[in-house]
Amino acid sequence: MGQPLSLDLRVRLLAAVDDGMSCRAAAARFGVAPSTAIRWHALRRDVGDFAAKPQGGDMRSHRVEERASDILAVWEAQKDITLVELRSALAEMGLAGLSGFSCVGGHNG
């Protein structure tokens, strides 16, 4: 995944648009795609902010952490449970996987 374009570039491009330049002309002037300039302009108009959104990072561990007590209860009930059995028990509870559980929040049995 590429890095987001700088806030400085966004500010300068939108300032050019504010000064009467079209989004396409501003895009050509600052070396970005016309769709990028149009998107930034629309974002500022609709939301009021045009900063880059955070990229990457953990997107799922909060779902596992919400069910930490349930997961630990299954493990406490049968400490010699295999991973296949644990996954099956968790699937019955509506939790599809263990990704990140043992490392997040200090849960390491």
Side-chain angles (χ1 to χ4, degrees), residues 4-5 7 10 43 49-55:
L5 295 172
L7 184 59
R10 294 164 187 256
L43 192 61
D49 187 23
F50 52 90
K53 295 178 184 173
Q55 292 183 332

Side-chain angles (χ1 to χ4, degrees), residues 39-95:
R39 189 175 61 248
W40 290 348
H41 182 64
L43 192 61
R44 183 181 63 175
R45 181 187 62 233
D46 298 342
V47 180
D49 187 23
F50 52 90
K53 295 178 184 173
Q55 292 183 332
D58 175 27
M59 304 299 283
R60 295 183 294 194
S61 70
H62 70 279
R63 293 187 309 210
V64 175
E65 289 301 315
E66 289 171 354
R67 303 290 300 268
S69 59
D70 297 331
I71 296 168
L72 291 173
V74 171
W75 180 75
E76 286 289 336
Q78 185 182 352
K79 289 192 178 185
D80 63 342
I81 194 169
T82 66
L83 184 57
V84 172
E85 294 168 333
L86 182 57
R87 284 185 176 159
S88 176
L90 295 175
E92 290 174 11
M93 296 168 34
L95 189 59

